[in-house]
Amino acid sequence: MLLQGACSGCPSSTFTLKNGIETMLKDMLNDNSISVNAING
């Protein structure tokens, strides 16, 4: 997933990825091995 718009460059975007999206994916897919990492560039 590539964050764009207001999320791009926001200091909170990494926190949102790790604690929001990663947790949601783990719960939805029932897979605790999922890891979400921010790639800036």
Side-chain angles (χ1 to χ4, degrees):
M1 175 186 297
L2 179 62
L3 297 177
Q4 298 177 356
C7 291
S8 181
C10 175
S12 298
S13 63
T14 300
F15 178 81
T16 300
L17 277 172
K18 292 299 287 182
N19 293 298
I21 296 171
E22 182 178 282
T23 301
M24 180 184 66
L25 287 173
K26 285 181 178 182
D27 289 344
M28 288 176 62
L29 300 175
N30 197 25
D31 184 352
N32 285 328
S33 67
I34 293 173
S35 179
V36 174
N37 298 304
I39 300 173
N40 299 322

